[in-house]
Amino acid sequence: METFFRYINTLPMPVWLAMMLAPRHPLTERASRSSVVLAVICAHYVGALAAAVLRGRRDGAQVNLMTLDGVRAGMSTPEGAAAAWTHALALDLFAGAWIYRECRRLEAPAAVRVPALLGTLMAGPVGLLGFLLWRAVTTRRLTIEE
């Protein structure tokens, strides 16, 4: 599982780095709209989730995604933790690509784009919330000025 963890962490990094450091490059624009990397991560999630469920059944764990104890039981194995992490990576990249495209559309400066993307990469909703707040303030200001 450690090898899988390193691999799945590394897989989306070129896209993240491109969105932060080369936002105007045509390959970055294409990568932000491509489903390939997301589909690969999602497929790995399905595999990790299946492994976690099989491990839970084998170990007799009461995995139940409708209770906190059930979720804890499911994530208490290496397979469960890998599935949860892969889940977060896929959704963070999805949100990050949307943030990147919105930054391009709104002509956001790097001082907004990079922290929003870095915050989303490192702590998902933190970066998304920061970007949404900036966008709300900017959109309101642009509307008032027009």
Side-chain angles (χ1 to χ4, degrees):
M1 281 280 94
E2 188 63 36
T3 301
F4 173 79
F5 181 78
R6 280 194 294 267
Y7 161 74
I8 205 67
N9 265 336
T10 305
L11 182 66
M13 277 309 136
V15 178
W16 281 107
L17 291 172
M19 290 187 302
M20 285 186 243
L21 304 175
R24 298 196 188 292
H25 196 283
L27 288 177
T28 305
E29 184 68 32
R30 285 180 53 200
S32 80
R33 294 183 187 288
S34 173
S35 300
V36 174
V37 174
L38 275 174
V40 169
I41 294 171
C42 290
H44 283 77
Y45 167 70
V46 170
L49 184 62
V53 169
L54 291 174
R55 170 78 179 258
R57 285 187 181 161
R58 188 177 66 234
D59 293 351
Q62 296 297 320
V63 178
N64 177 352
L65 299 180
M66 300 307 288
T67 68
L68 183 57
D69 283 341
V71 171
R72 184 188 48 74
M75 291 176 48
S76 65
T77 65
E79 294 84 357
W85 188 248
T86 305
H87 180 278
L89 285 175
L91 292 178
D92 289 351
L93 182 58
F94 184 82
W98 178 80
I99 290 168
Y100 162 80
R101 291 190 305 273
E102 279 293 284
C103 283
R104 296 272 294 153
R105 184 179 70 82
L106 297 171
E107 299 178 1
V112 169
R113 185 189 73 257
V114 173
L117 290 172
L118 191 58
T120 303
L121 171 63
M122 302 308 285
V126 172
L128 179 59
L129 178 61
F131 176 74
L132 291 172
L133 291 172
W134 174 85
R135 190 179 75 155
V137 168
T138 300
T139 302
R140 172 176 261 171
R141 184 176 44 219
L142 290 175
T143 303
I144 293 170
E145 290 175 1
E146 292 178 353

